[in-house]
Amino acid sequence: QNELLHLIIEAKSQESLDKAKEEIETIIKEHKAPTSFSCQIPVDVPEEIHYKAKGKIVGPGGQNVKYIQRKCNCRVQLKGRGSGF
């Protein structure tokens, strides 16, 4: 494609859209990348019960992970041996 690099912002209110646009424009003007934080929390269980631990952590249909993501406005992933990823 010959299209210029661009962002598409969608928001539920004009106020939210304006805030996002302002923040992005500030970042671009200052040539700063947005900051993100991450951490790893070890799940220390014997290998033979990884599949049980995975189910307990993720919850039915991903319910526990989805709850944390919604409540904390973050991304949560289970990775590593036995996670399926």
Side-chain angles (χ1 to χ4, degrees), residues 42-81:
V43 179
D44 190 20
V45 295
E47 193 162 330
E48 60 273 6
I49 64 165
H50 273 189
Y51 70 94
K52 288 182 182 178
K54 175 186 171 185
K56 294 281 186 187
I57 294 167
V58 174
Q63 175 180 324
N64 295 341
V65 169
K66 290 174 186 175
Y67 170 78
I68 294 166
Q69 290 179 147
R70 274 193 313 272
K71 184 172 182 176
C72 302
N73 192 28
C74 66
R75 183 174 164 196
V76 177
Q77 294 180 300
L78 184 63
K79 290 197 171 193
R81 190 175 40 242

Side-chain angles (χ1 to χ4, degrees), residues 7 18 20-34:
L7 293 169
D18 292 342
K21 184 178 176 189
E22 186 178 313
E23 287 294 323
I24 291 165
E25 287 172 344
T26 299
I27 290 168
I28 291 170
K29 283 178 189 171
E30 295 175 359
H31 302 313
K32 290 183 180 177

